[in-house]
Amino acid sequence: MSALLTRLFSKLYRICFAFFHGWKFQNVGVGAALFRPYRVDGGKEITIGAQTVFQRGTWLYCCGVDGRKAALSIGGGCAFGYNNHITAVGQVVIGDNVLTANNVYISDNLHDYEDVSIPIMHQRVRFKREVKIGDGSWIGENACVIGARVGKNCVIGANAVVTSDIPDYSVAVGVPATVIKQFDPQSKKWIALKA
């Protein structure tokens, strides 16, 4: 009975989320929801597509720096795991049907650290590069995407740190992330790349 009640609560919460919390965002699609507890900074610059769900512990941050306007756009049908942190000081665009595991970090910025006389937390936050995550991609547990683009239908392995672009239909792992497999449209097979 407990599982049934949990599913019913989840469905009801998703139906009501946009009505009760939609005013905090630029736009929230039907059936989209962030499960509590969550944190949102700069919600008026954030759009969330229909049927996109964020599990507990999400932090969405969208605040421009250096006179730059920030925008965070998340497509429809996405499923984000627990404790995901997505931050935009410029632009982050996440496509449709993107899946993430827990503890994923997606960011278009870095903290400066050059001045050793100032604690890093007091140095400026700097826009690195626009981030795009392509439709249908899967980002594994504890992975980070920082100032890079991930193509369509990619797999980013657990604990990977993506700092350079990953092409469509690729599997990338490691620190820094490197492509180890790609889909070959001619043979219709995933091909392991030679090291």
Side-chain angles (χ1 to χ4, degrees), residues 104-129:
V104 169
Y105 177 66
I106 300 169
S107 174
D108 67 352
N109 62 85
L110 299 167
H111 274 274
D112 278 346
Y113 57 88
E114 286 77 11
D115 188 342
V116 296
S117 67
I118 301 172
I120 293 169
M121 68 185 287
H122 298 302
Q123 294 190 45
R124 115 186 147 93
V125 173
R126 178 174 36 92
F127 175 72
K128 182 177 184 220
R129 186 166 168 243

PDB file of all heavy atoms in Angstrom, residues 104-129:
ATOM      1  N   VAL A 104      25.066  14.964 -10.128  1.00  0.00           N
ATOM      2  CA  VAL A 104      25.614  15.476 -11.386  1.00  0.00           C
ATOM      3  C   VAL A 104      25.726  16.997 -11.291  1.00  0.00           C
ATOM      4  O   VAL A 104      24.831  17.668 -10.778  1.00  0.00           O
ATOM      5  CB  VAL A 104      24.735  15.054 -12.582  1.00  0.00           C
ATOM      6  CG1 VAL A 104      25.115  15.787 -13.852  1.00  0.00           C
ATOM      7  CG2 VAL A 104      24.828  13.542 -12.774  1.00  0.00           C
ATOM      8  N   TYR A 105      26.841  17.530 -11.825  1.00  0.00           N
ATOM      9  CA  TYR A 105      27.112  18.963 -11.822  1.00  0.00           C
ATOM     10  C   TYR A 105      27.257  19.428 -13.262  1.00  0.00           C
ATOM     11  O   TYR A 105      28.084  18.903 -14.011  1.00  0.00           O
ATOM     12  CB  TYR A 105      28.385  19.250 -11.026  1.00  0.00           C
ATOM     13  CG  TYR A 105      28.809  20.695 -11.003  1.00  0.00           C
ATOM     14  CD1 TYR A 105      28.028  21.657 -10.369  1.00  0.00           C
ATOM     15  CD2 TYR A 105      29.994  21.096 -11.592  1.00  0.00           C
ATOM     16  CE1 TYR A 105      28.428  22.987 -10.334  1.00  0.00           C
ATOM     17  CE2 TYR A 105      30.407  22.424 -11.558  1.00  0.00           C
ATOM     18  CZ  TYR A 105      29.610  23.361 -10.935  1.00  0.00           C
ATOM     19  OH  TYR A 105      30.002  24.680 -10.897  1.00  0.00           O
ATOM     20  N   ILE A 106      26.442  20.420 -13.649  1.00  0.00           N
ATOM     21  CA  ILE A 106      26.494  20.993 -14.998  1.00  0.00           C
ATOM     22  C   ILE A 106      26.656  22.498 -14.832  1.00  0.00           C
ATOM     23  O   ILE A 106      25.837  23.140 -14.171  1.00  0.00           O
ATOM     24  CB  ILE A 106      25.215  20.659 -15.792  1.00  0.00           C
ATOM     25  CG1 ILE A 106      25.049  19.139 -15.937  1.00  0.00           C
ATOM     26  CG2 ILE A 106      25.230  21.342 -17.156  1.00  0.00           C
ATOM     27  CD1 ILE A 106      23.697  18.705 -16.480  1.00  0.00           C
ATOM     28  N   SER A 107      27.709  23.074 -15.461  1.00  0.00           N
ATOM     29  CA  SER A 107      28.017  24.478 -15.232  1.00  0.00           C
ATOM     30  C   SER A 107      28.690  25.109 -16.443  1.00  0.00           C
ATOM     31  O   SER A 107      29.476  24.461 -17.125  1.00  0.00           O
ATOM     32  CB  SER A 107      28.950  24.599 -14.018  1.00  0.00           C
ATOM     33  OG  SER A 107      29.374  25.919 -13.837  1.00  0.00           O
ATOM     34  N   ASP A 108      28.399  26.376 -16.662  1.00  0.00           N
ATOM     35  CA  ASP A 108      29.057  27.130 -17.732  1.00  0.00           C
ATOM     36  C   ASP A 108      30.108  28.090 -17.182  1.00  0.00           C
ATOM     37  O   ASP A 108      30.546  29.005 -17.856  1.00  0.00           O
ATOM     38  CB  ASP A 108      28.023  27.911 -18.557  1.00  0.00           C
ATOM     39  CG  ASP A 108      27.339  29.021 -17.769  1.00  0.00           C
ATOM     40  OD1 ASP A 108      27.535  29.119 -16.532  1.00  0.00           O
ATOM     41  OD2 ASP A 108      26.585  29.799 -18.381  1.00  0.00           O
ATOM     42  N   ASN A 109      30.555  27.880 -15.937  1.00  0.00           N
ATOM     43  CA  ASN A 109      31.441  28.855 -15.305  1.00  0.00           C
ATOM     44  C   ASN A 109      32.457  28.218 -14.375  1.00  0.00           C
ATOM     45  O   ASN A 109      32.349  27.038 -14.027  1.00  0.00           O
ATOM     46  CB  ASN A 109      30.608  29.886 -14.546  1.00  0.00           C
ATOM     47  CG  ASN A 109      29.800  29.250 -13.448  1.00  0.00           C
ATOM     48  OD1 ASN A 109      30.295  29.050 -12.345  1.00  0.00           O
ATOM     49  ND2 ASN A 109      28.550  28.905 -13.720  1.00  0.00           N
ATOM     50  N   LEU A 110      33.422  29.038 -13.987  1.00  0.00           N
ATOM     51  CA  LEU A 110      34.482  28.635 -13.055  1.00  0.00           C
ATOM     52  C   LEU A 110      34.721  29.766 -12.063  1.00  0.00           C
ATOM     53  O   LEU A 110      34.428  30.926 -12.360  1.00  0.00           O
ATOM     54  CB  LEU A 110      35.801  28.413 -13.805  1.00  0.00           C
ATOM     55  CG  LEU A 110      35.830  27.338 -14.861  1.00  0.00           C
ATOM     56  CD1 LEU A 110      37.088  27.476 -15.704  1.00  0.00           C
ATOM     57  CD2 LEU A 110      35.776  25.969 -14.229  1.00  0.00           C
ATOM     58  N   HIS A 111      35.296  29.443 -10.928  1.00  0.00           N
ATOM     59  CA  HIS A 111      35.791  30.462 -10.004  1.00  0.00           C
ATOM     60  C   HIS A 111      37.216  30.814 -10.408  1.00  0.00           C
ATOM     61  O   HIS A 111      38.021  29.934 -10.706  1.00  0.00           O
ATOM     62  CB  HIS A 111      35.826  29.935  -8.565  1.00  0.00           C
ATOM     63  CG  HIS A 111      34.542  30.074  -7.841  1.00  0.00           C
ATOM     64  ND1 HIS A 111      34.188  31.217  -7.172  1.00  0.00           N
ATOM     65  CD2 HIS A 111      33.514  29.217  -7.676  1.00  0.00           C
ATOM     66  CE1 HIS A 111      32.994  31.053  -6.616  1.00  0.00           C
ATOM     67  NE2 HIS A 111      32.567  29.851  -6.916  1.00  0.00           N
ATOM     68  N   ASP A 112      37.520  32.106 -10.408  1.00  0.00           N
ATOM     69  CA  ASP A 112      38.916  32.505 -10.568  1.00  0.00           C
ATOM     70  C   ASP A 112      39.683  32.040  -9.333  1.00  0.00           C
ATOM     71  O   ASP A 112      39.120  31.912  -8.235  1.00  0.00           O
ATOM     72  CB  ASP A 112      39.035  34.022 -10.701  1.00  0.00           C
ATOM     73  CG  ASP A 112      38.764  34.516 -12.113  1.00  0.00           C
ATOM     74  OD1 ASP A 112      38.751  33.691 -13.050  1.00  0.00           O
ATOM     75  OD2 ASP A 112      38.569  35.723 -12.278  1.00  0.00           O
ATOM     76  N   TYR A 113      40.980  31.795  -9.520  1.00  0.00           N
ATOM     77  CA  TYR A 113      41.827  31.366  -8.406  1.00  0.00           C
ATOM     78  C   TYR A 113      43.227  31.962  -8.508  1.00  0.00           C
ATOM     79  O   TYR A 113      44.112  31.644  -7.709  1.00  0.00           O
ATOM     80  CB  TYR A 113      41.929  29.833  -8.383  1.00  0.00           C
ATOM     81  CG  TYR A 113      42.453  29.250  -9.675  1.00  0.00           C
ATOM     82  CD1 TYR A 113      43.811  29.092  -9.886  1.00  0.00           C
ATOM     83  CD2 TYR A 113      41.579  28.874 -10.680  1.00  0.00           C
ATOM     84  CE1 TYR A 113      44.292  28.578 -11.084  1.00  0.00           C
ATOM     85  CE2 TYR A 113      42.045  28.354 -11.873  1.00  0.00           C
ATOM     86  CZ  TYR A 113      43.401  28.208 -12.072  1.00  0.00           C
ATOM     87  OH  TYR A 113      43.867  27.702 -13.256  1.00  0.00           O
ATOM     88  N   GLU A 114      43.438  32.849  -9.477  1.00  0.00           N
ATOM     89  CA  GLU A 114      44.764  33.362  -9.776  1.00  0.00           C
ATOM     90  C   GLU A 114      45.393  34.171  -8.637  1.00  0.00           C
ATOM     91  O   GLU A 114      46.595  34.112  -8.415  1.00  0.00           O
ATOM     92  CB  GLU A 114      44.732  34.214 -11.058  1.00  0.00           C
ATOM     93  CG  GLU A 114      44.599  33.397 -12.322  1.00  0.00           C
ATOM     94  CD  GLU A 114      43.178  32.891 -12.584  1.00  0.00           C
ATOM     95  OE1 GLU A 114      42.227  33.340 -11.898  1.00  0.00           O
ATOM     96  OE2 GLU A 114      43.017  32.027 -13.459  1.00  0.00           O
ATOM     97  N   ASP A 115      44.594  34.948  -7.915  1.00  0.00           N
ATOM     98  CA  ASP A 115      45.119  35.801  -6.851  1.00  0.00           C
ATOM     99  C   ASP A 115      45.188  35.002  -5.547  1.00  0.00           C
ATOM    100  O   ASP A 115      44.182  34.803  -4.864  1.00  0.00           O
ATOM    101  CB  ASP A 115      44.234  37.035  -6.680  1.00  0.00           C
ATOM    102  CG  ASP A 115      44.823  38.058  -5.733  1.00  0.00           C
ATOM    103  OD1 ASP A 115      45.732  37.696  -4.941  1.00  0.00           O
ATOM    104  OD2 ASP A 115      44.373  39.213  -5.768  1.00  0.00           O
ATOM    105  N   VAL A 116      46.385  34.545  -5.197  1.00  0.00           N
ATOM    106  CA  VAL A 116      46.538  33.686  -4.017  1.00  0.00           C
ATOM    107  C   VAL A 116      46.381  34.432  -2.704  1.00  0.00           C
ATOM    108  O   VAL A 116      46.317  33.817  -1.637  1.00  0.00           O
ATOM    109  CB  VAL A 116      47.891  32.930  -4.044  1.00  0.00           C
ATOM    110  CG1 VAL A 116      47.939  31.976  -5.221  1.00  0.00           C
ATOM    111  CG2 VAL A 116      49.072  33.886  -4.060  1.00  0.00           C
ATOM    112  N   SER A 117      46.289  35.776  -2.752  1.00  0.00           N
ATOM    113  CA  SER A 117      46.088  36.546  -1.529  1.00  0.00           C
ATOM    114  C   SER A 117      44.606  36.642  -1.149  1.00  0.00           C
ATOM    115  O   SER A 117      44.275  37.161  -0.093  1.00  0.00           O
ATOM    116  CB  SER A 117      46.670  37.960  -1.680  1.00  0.00           C
ATOM    117  OG  SER A 117      45.925  38.698  -2.637  1.00  0.00           O
ATOM    118  N   ILE A 118      43.735  36.143  -2.025  1.00  0.00           N
ATOM    119  CA  ILE A 118      42.287  36.196  -1.800  1.00  0.00           C
ATOM    120  C   ILE A 118      41.738  34.775  -1.793  1.00  0.00           C
ATOM    121  O   ILE A 118      42.048  33.991  -2.688  1.00  0.00           O
ATOM    122  CB  ILE A 118      41.586  37.007  -2.912  1.00  0.00           C
ATOM    123  CG1 ILE A 118      42.130  38.435  -2.980  1.00  0.00           C
ATOM    124  CG2 ILE A 118      40.076  37.014  -2.721  1.00  0.00           C
ATOM    125  CD1 ILE A 118      41.622  39.237  -4.161  1.00  0.00           C
ATOM    126  N   PRO A 119      40.915  34.415  -0.787  1.00  0.00           N
ATOM    127  CA  PRO A 119      40.295  33.096  -0.813  1.00  0.00           C
ATOM    128  C   PRO A 119      39.504  32.905  -2.119  1.00  0.00           C
ATOM    129  O   PRO A 119      38.870  33.844  -2.614  1.00  0.00           O
ATOM    130  CB  PRO A 119      39.353  33.109   0.391  1.00  0.00           C
ATOM    131  CG  PRO A 119      39.905  34.148   1.302  1.00  0.00           C
ATOM    132  CD  PRO A 119      40.511  35.182   0.393  1.00  0.00           C
ATOM    133  N   ILE A 120      39.561  31.724  -2.649  1.00  0.00           N
ATOM    134  CA  ILE A 120      38.896  31.449  -3.929  1.00  0.00           C
ATOM    135  C   ILE A 120      37.414  31.799  -3.865  1.00  0.00           C
ATOM    136  O   ILE A 120      36.855  32.351  -4.813  1.00  0.00           O
ATOM    137  CB  ILE A 120      39.118  29.986  -4.362  1.00  0.00           C
ATOM    138  CG1 ILE A 120      40.607  29.781  -4.682  1.00  0.00           C
ATOM    139  CG2 ILE A 120      38.253  29.624  -5.557  1.00  0.00           C
ATOM    140  CD1 ILE A 120      41.023  28.355  -4.874  1.00  0.00           C
ATOM    141  N   MET A 121      36.772  31.548  -2.738  1.00  0.00           N
ATOM    142  CA  MET A 121      35.342  31.836  -2.628  1.00  0.00           C
ATOM    143  C   MET A 121      35.025  33.330  -2.770  1.00  0.00           C
ATOM    144  O   MET A 121      33.899  33.704  -3.061  1.00  0.00           O
ATOM    145  CB  MET A 121      34.754  31.298  -1.319  1.00  0.00           C
ATOM    146  CG  MET A 121      35.253  32.002  -0.085  1.00  0.00           C
ATOM    147  SD  MET A 121      34.650  31.261   1.445  1.00  0.00           S
ATOM    148  CE  MET A 121      32.969  31.771   1.431  1.00  0.00           C
ATOM    149  N   HIS A 122      36.030  34.195  -2.606  1.00  0.00           N
ATOM    150  CA  HIS A 122      35.829  35.635  -2.740  1.00  0.00           C
ATOM    151  C   HIS A 122      36.310  36.182  -4.083  1.00  0.00           C
ATOM    152  O   HIS A 122      36.221  37.382  -4.322  1.00  0.00           O
ATOM    153  CB  HIS A 122      36.515  36.383  -1.594  1.00  0.00           C
ATOM    154  CG  HIS A 122      35.957  36.026  -0.248  1.00  0.00           C
ATOM    155  ND1 HIS A 122      34.628  36.178   0.077  1.00  0.00           N
ATOM    156  CD2 HIS A 122      36.554  35.491   0.845  1.00  0.00           C
ATOM    157  CE1 HIS A 122      34.430  35.767   1.315  1.00  0.00           C
ATOM    158  NE2 HIS A 122      35.576  35.350   1.805  1.00  0.00           N
ATOM    159  N   GLN A 123      36.840  35.309  -4.923  1.00  0.00           N
ATOM    160  CA  GLN A 123      37.253  35.734  -6.257  1.00  0.00           C
ATOM    161  C   GLN A 123      36.069  35.631  -7.206  1.00  0.00           C
ATOM    162  O   GLN A 123      35.059  35.001  -6.915  1.00  0.00           O
ATOM    163  CB  GLN A 123      38.439  34.895  -6.742  1.00  0.00           C
ATOM    164  CG  GLN A 123      39.679  35.148  -5.885  1.00  0.00           C
ATOM    165  CD  GLN A 123      40.929  34.544  -6.453  1.00  0.00           C
ATOM    166  OE1 GLN A 123      41.197  34.657  -7.644  1.00  0.00           O
ATOM    167  NE2 GLN A 123      41.715  33.899  -5.585  1.00  0.00           N
ATOM    168  N   ARG A 124      36.202  36.270  -8.344  1.00  0.00           N
ATOM    169  CA  ARG A 124      35.067  36.398  -9.253  1.00  0.00           C
ATOM    170  C   ARG A 124      34.704  35.060  -9.892  1.00  0.00           C
ATOM    171  O   ARG A 124      35.544  34.196 -10.127  1.00  0.00           O
ATOM    172  CB  ARG A 124      35.388  37.480 -10.265  1.00  0.00           C
ATOM    173  CG  ARG A 124      35.525  37.147 -11.646  1.00  0.00           C
ATOM    174  CD  ARG A 124      35.995  38.334 -12.478  1.00  0.00           C
ATOM    175  NE  ARG A 124      36.808  37.836 -13.543  1.00  0.00           N
ATOM    176  CZ  ARG A 124      36.336  37.547 -14.745  1.00  0.00           C
ATOM    177  NH1 ARG A 124      35.094  37.765 -15.046  1.00  0.00           N
ATOM    178  NH2 ARG A 124      37.138  37.055 -15.665  1.00  0.00           N
ATOM    179  N   VAL A 125      33.410  34.904 -10.178  1.00  0.00           N
ATOM    180  CA  VAL A 125      32.909  33.780 -10.956  1.00  0.00           C
ATOM    181  C   VAL A 125      32.976  34.207 -12.413  1.00  0.00           C
ATOM    182  O   VAL A 125      32.524  35.294 -12.776  1.00  0.00           O
ATOM    183  CB  VAL A 125      31.456  33.429 -10.548  1.00  0.00           C
ATOM    184  CG1 VAL A 125      30.870  32.382 -11.479  1.00  0.00           C
ATOM    185  CG2 VAL A 125      31.429  32.959  -9.108  1.00  0.00           C
ATOM    186  N   ARG A 126      33.558  33.369 -13.242  1.00  0.00           N
ATOM    187  CA  ARG A 126      33.823  33.716 -14.637  1.00  0.00           C
ATOM    188  C   ARG A 126      33.094  32.769 -15.581  1.00  0.00           C
ATOM    189  O   ARG A 126      33.160  31.551 -15.433  1.00  0.00           O
ATOM    190  CB  ARG A 126      35.327  33.639 -14.876  1.00  0.00           C
ATOM    191  CG  ARG A 126      35.783  33.928 -16.263  1.00  0.00           C
ATOM    192  CD  ARG A 126      37.310  33.969 -16.350  1.00  0.00           C
ATOM    193  NE  ARG A 126      38.016  33.030 -15.514  1.00  0.00           N
ATOM    194  CZ  ARG A 126      38.384  31.807 -15.918  1.00  0.00           C
ATOM    195  NH1 ARG A 126      38.094  31.370 -17.111  1.00  0.00           N
ATOM    196  NH2 ARG A 126      39.053  31.026 -15.098  1.00  0.00           N
ATOM    197  N   PHE A 127      32.375  33.351 -16.551  1.00  0.00           N
ATOM    198  CA  PHE A 127      31.737  32.554 -17.605  1.00  0.00           C
ATOM    199  C   PHE A 127      32.826  31.850 -18.392  1.00  0.00           C
ATOM    200  O   PHE A 127      33.787  32.465 -18.837  1.00  0.00           O
ATOM    201  CB  PHE A 127      30.912  33.470 -18.520  1.00  0.00           C
ATOM    202  CG  PHE A 127      30.306  32.779 -19.708  1.00  0.00           C
ATOM    203  CD1 PHE A 127      29.248  31.910 -19.558  1.00  0.00           C
ATOM    204  CD2 PHE A 127      30.816  32.996 -20.977  1.00  0.00           C
ATOM    205  CE1 PHE A 127      28.680  31.274 -20.659  1.00  0.00           C
ATOM    206  CE2 PHE A 127      30.263  32.371 -22.080  1.00  0.00           C
ATOM    207  CZ  PHE A 127      29.193  31.503 -21.918  1.00  0.00           C
ATOM    208  N   LYS A 128      32.670  30.533 -18.568  1.00  0.00           N
ATOM    209  CA  LYS A 128      33.656  29.774 -19.338  1.00  0.00           C
ATOM    210  C   LYS A 128      33.188  29.611 -20.776  1.00  0.00           C
ATOM    211  O   LYS A 128      33.835  30.040 -21.706  1.00  0.00           O
ATOM    212  CB  LYS A 128      33.899  28.406 -18.703  1.00  0.00           C
ATOM    213  CG  LYS A 128      34.951  27.602 -19.441  1.00  0.00           C
ATOM    214  CD  LYS A 128      35.255  26.283 -18.782  1.00  0.00           C
ATOM    215  CE  LYS A 128      36.387  25.623 -19.570  1.00  0.00           C
ATOM    216  NZ  LYS A 128      36.230  24.242 -19.740  1.00  0.00           N
ATOM    217  N   ARG A 129      32.014  28.992 -20.945  1.00  0.00           N
ATOM    218  CA  ARG A 129      31.501  28.732 -22.288  1.00  0.00           C
ATOM    219  C   ARG A 129      30.090  28.174 -22.166  1.00  0.00           C
ATOM    220  O   ARG A 129      29.760  27.500 -21.201  1.00  0.00           O
ATOM    221  CB  ARG A 129      32.394  27.709 -22.974  1.00  0.00           C
ATOM    222  CG  ARG A 129      32.049  27.453 -24.415  1.00  0.00           C
ATOM    223  CD  ARG A 129      33.185  26.695 -25.078  1.00  0.00           C
ATOM    224  NE  ARG A 129      32.758  26.201 -26.359  1.00  0.00           N
ATOM    225  CZ  ARG A 129      32.679  24.910 -26.677  1.00  0.00           C
ATOM    226  NH1 ARG A 129      33.018  23.987 -25.808  1.00  0.00           N
ATOM    227  NH2 ARG A 129      32.284  24.554 -27.864  1.00  0.00           N
TER     228      ARG A 129
END
